[in-house]
Amino acid sequence: MSCNVYTIKIAGPAGAGIKSSGQVLAKTLISLGFHIFDYTEYPSLVRGGYNAYFISFSQDKVYSIHKKVDFDVLITDYAAEAAKLGNPLTANVIALGSIAYVFGIDLDALKKIVSIQYGKYAEINLKAVDMGFEYAGKNLADKKIEIEFPKSKVELANNYNDGNEAFGWGFLKGEGNFYAAYPMTPATGTLHFLAAKQEEYKITVIHPEDEIAAINIVSGAAFAGARAATGSSGGGFALMTEALSFAGVAEIGLVVYLVSRPGPATGLPTWTAQGDILYAIHAGHGDFPKIVISPATHQESFEFGVKALNLAAKYQVPVIVVSDKMLGESAADTRNFALESVKVEHANIETKPTAPFKRYSLETKTGVSPQTLPGTKDGEYLSNSYEHDEFGYSTEDSEMTTKMSEKRHKKLAAMLPDLPKAELSNESAKKLIIAWGSVAATVKEAKLSNYALLQIKTLWPIDQEIKKIIDKYKDITVIENNQTSQLTTLLKSQFDFNPTKIITKFDGRPFFPEELNEKLK
């Protein structure tokens, strides 16, 4: 039997410490044994505006934020209490004390997290917790919500991560050692996370002048043997596409972490969307193989961070990991990724090549040719943006151009067994929902017993086995956070596909479980 899901909203003016208080609440609930999923809304302003933090929690795993709010907290309601304490910045923590009263949260557990979060400012904030609890006892007694607490508590240690941090942990555990990116919402979190890990993990993180520089630096690092990645969104990714083509023809394996937001152009910089998959798949001019994968959960964000590095190294192609603001900037209780064991696959590097070295040898069944690192004796070769022969020398020869393009194209078939497989859940249901990314997680959270869910994890190349799964169902619904149902267009391009129903949302807001239940009654 599933447990109740409760949702709390904390809102108010920017700068009031809304997210920091929300993070304290999230960590407290996790320490008490709850599963959580949080989500923030904020406008694209340098200063000012109205911010909101939502957290849904339950004894069951929570895969998405819920729309129905059980307790709504406005930070400005606690301004007078903060004035009594002599510090207006404590209103957010006073609010936490009130939340603890309403939900019966153990004050010691809350105070422990407050002490950790606020460090040298802990004393005044602990007083703020008590003040908020007392305030609620006098003013909110009729608002109390009786909830059942988990029987076991959790020792909190690195098990609260957002999607950007989860990808960053995957990069670290996958032995990524070079990351270059220009800050762009909502992908910036990974840059900040990895920058803070440079000394501990002995990695290099660079903030260059723009996204063009970022991907070109990453291309050079990968060429020199680094396990390298960059990250961006929207227009930032658009600037990277010329270098993506270069990586395609030079056969340089690198990773691009694309965290989508609504477009076109600047669009809605701080909101969510799934409008970039066709662009990601077709990014770059000319024909060349690439991989596009998309996680739906924080665990998958971690796993795909590892997987992307392995695939880039093994197949010498660009790998694009497509997330979105909903997943990238929302946090959940996770495993302690720092302690996770993963399989790391390195590139097959020739250390004792025979001269003259054929870097782009046509004698390969998989399309993957031997590779050397710069400075390797007898392993010299030319690598540039031109079509080339087996040694890397530029060519415009008709026969060589055809053979080299066909060689690269072989990789698509060779890599299919290594790519994340589509996942079918609730298989016995008579109807089918097809979704990808964060929307697939929301469908799972909606607990639609009449529907099976097919989550497509690899968006390119498309595995033709997916058609066999789809053909088992007559009633098929595609759900996406974009206007034109780009996944439908993609599947139609690969095989005969005609869904019964398409549900889209493109206002910058994510789908909510309640919303899907209403639309699929």
Side-chain angles (χ1 to χ4, degrees):
M1 182 178 178
S2 61
C3 300
N4 289 329
V5 178
Y6 302 95
T7 300
I8 298 170
K9 176 184 177 182
I10 304 173
I18 291 162
K19 187 167 184 177
S20 65
S21 61
Q23 290 173 334
V24 169
L25 178 59
K27 293 173 183 177
T28 301
L29 290 168
I30 293 171
S31 73
L32 293 171
F34 285 106
H35 296 286
I36 69 100
F37 191 103
D38 70 14
Y39 173 73
T40 56
E41 289 184 348
Y42 58 98
S44 178
L45 298 172
V46 176
R47 294 188 65 183
Y50 177 89
N51 293 5
Y53 171 93
F54 301 81
I55 182 168
S56 294
F57 64 98
S58 174
Q59 291 194 46
D60 289 337
K61 184 66 179 173
V62 185
Y63 293 97
S64 174
I65 198 70
H66 284 241
K67 187 175 184 179
K68 179 181 176 295
V69 174
D70 296 282
F71 189 55
D72 201 338
V73 180
L74 191 61
I75 295 296
T76 50
D77 287 347
Y78 297 91
E81 298 302 307
K84 292 178 188 177
L85 200 55
N87 189 332
L89 297 178
T90 59
N92 63 331
V93 183
I94 295 172
L96 287 178
S98 291
I99 292 170
Y101 174 85
V102 171
F103 286 90
I105 294 171
D106 178 51
L107 273 186
D108 289 337
L110 175 58
K111 287 181 175 181
K112 181 179 179 180
I113 305 299
V114 166
S115 296
I116 296 170
Q117 182 88 357
Y118 295 107
K120 64 180 181 179
Y121 303 106
E123 184 177 353
I124 191 171
N125 282 292
L126 291 173
K127 290 179 181 178
V129 171
D130 287 330
M131 180 176 281
F133 193 86
E134 292 171 7
Y135 172 88
K138 295 175 182 176
N139 300 281
L140 302 174
D142 60 330
K143 303 291 186 182
K144 281 186 74 69
I145 299 172
E146 296 295 329
I147 66 174
E148 184 179 347
F149 284 82
K151 293 180 181 179
S152 58
K153 296 184 179 182
V154 174
E155 189 64 36
L156 195 67
N158 289 333
N159 59 346
Y160 170 73
N161 294 282
D162 65 27
N164 289 337
E165 292 166 342
F167 176 82
W169 276 117
F171 178 84
L172 293 173
K173 299 300 287 187
E175 299 183 9
N177 54 16
F178 191 97
Y179 191 86
Y182 185 83
M184 188 167 188
T185 305
T188 310
T190 301
L191 174 63
H192 290 169
F193 172 81
L194 291 175
K197 300 290 184 184
Q198 287 186 90
E199 291 188 13
E200 182 182 357
Y201 283 86
K202 308 299 185 224
I203 65 172
T204 299
V205 178
I206 295 177
H207 169 181
E209 63 270 28
D210 56 34
E211 291 86 354
I212 298 174
I215 193 168
N216 279 300
I217 292 170
V218 165
S219 297
F223 170 81
R227 291 169 73 85
T230 183
S232 193
S233 183
F237 177 68
L239 291 172
M240 295 180 175
T241 55
E242 182 180 12
L244 205 66
S245 286
F246 166 69
V249 74
E251 300 189 44
I252 296 174
L254 56 82
V255 175
V256 180
Y257 180 49
L258 171 58
V259 189
S260 299
R261 68 194 208 186
T266 304
L268 305 178
T270 61
W271 300 82
T272 197
Q274 289 186 319
D276 295 338
I277 61 164
L278 291 180
Y279 184 54
I281 289 167
H282 298 293
H285 50 286
D287 293 323
F288 62 94
K290 67 171 75 71
I291 297 169
V292 182
I293 56 179
S294 181
T297 65
H298 297 79
Q299 180 64 30
E300 287 179 356
S301 291
F302 168 77
E303 292 170 358
F304 287 13
V306 178
K307 189 71 172 176
L309 288 171
N310 288 343
L311 290 168
K314 186 173 181 179
Y315 294 103
Q316 303 171 13
V317 297
V319 181
I320 303 172
V321 181
V322 182
S323 184
D324 59 19
K325 180 255 167 55
M326 171 60 173
L327 177 55
E329 290 194 343
S330 292
D333 57 291
T334 67
R335 298 177 188 173
N336 186 342
F337 293 137
L339 303 179
E340 289 283 275
S341 296
V342 302
K343 181 182 179 182
V344 177
E345 296 181 74
H346 291 279
N348 184 15
I349 304 295
E350 294 276 353
T351 56
K352 296 181 180 180
T354 302
F357 178 62
K358 291 184 177 181
R359 165 64 180 97
Y360 302 105
S361 172
L362 294 171
E363 296 177 14
T364 166
K365 292 181 180 179
T366 63
V368 179
S369 302
Q371 181 181 359
T372 58
L373 298 183
T376 303
K377 184 180 178 182
D378 295 328
E380 299 90 344
Y381 67 92
L382 184 64
S383 182
N384 61 31
S385 64
Y386 277 80
E387 187 57 275
H388 46 255
D389 63 14
E390 293 178 280
F391 302 101
Y393 293 110
S394 301
T395 183
E396 294 182 9
D397 177 76
S398 171
E399 184 177 355
M400 180 55 68
T401 297
T402 301
K403 286 182 178 180
M404 198 57 67
S405 183
E406 288 175 341
K407 180 197 86 77
R408 292 191 293 265
H409 193 74
K410 287 180 184 177
K411 295 179 184 181
L412 289 171
M415 66 179 60
L416 269 177
D418 272 355
L419 303 179
K421 301 295 182 186
E423 182 179 323
L424 181 65
S425 55
N426 198 25
E427 185 176 354
S428 61
K430 293 184 178 180
K431 301 178 182 180
L432 178 67
I433 290 173
I434 305 177
W436 64 278
S438 65
V439 172
T442 304
V443 174
K444 187 177 292 188
E445 181 67 18
K447 298 177 174 62
L448 301 161
S449 59
N450 294 331
Y451 288 86
L453 168 62
L454 179 62
Q455 178 198 343
I456 298 181
K457 300 181 181 183
T458 297
L459 297 165
W460 192 260
I462 288 290
D463 187 350
Q464 296 297 312
E465 294 296 311
I466 290 174
K467 181 70 164 82
K468 295 179 181 178
I469 298 173
I470 294 173
D471 284 345
K472 295 178 182 178
Y473 299 88
K474 292 183 178 179
D475 190 311
I476 302 168
T477 300
V478 178
I479 305 178
E480 288 186 271
N481 257 144
N482 60 57
Q483 186 173 8
T484 57
S485 190
Q486 293 184 24
L487 180 60
T488 299
T489 300
L490 175 62
L491 296 180
K492 280 179 175 287
S493 75
Q494 298 301 299
F495 42 69
D496 183 21
F497 177 65
N498 294 288
T500 312
K501 186 176 184 179
I502 293 172
I503 297 175
T504 61
K505 186 176 182 180
F506 44 94
D507 60 356
R509 280 68 179 168
F511 279 105
F512 299 99
E514 301 96 325
E515 187 178 9
L516 293 180
N517 270 289
E518 181 66 28
K519 290 180 180 294
L520 293 166
K521 272 185 178 178

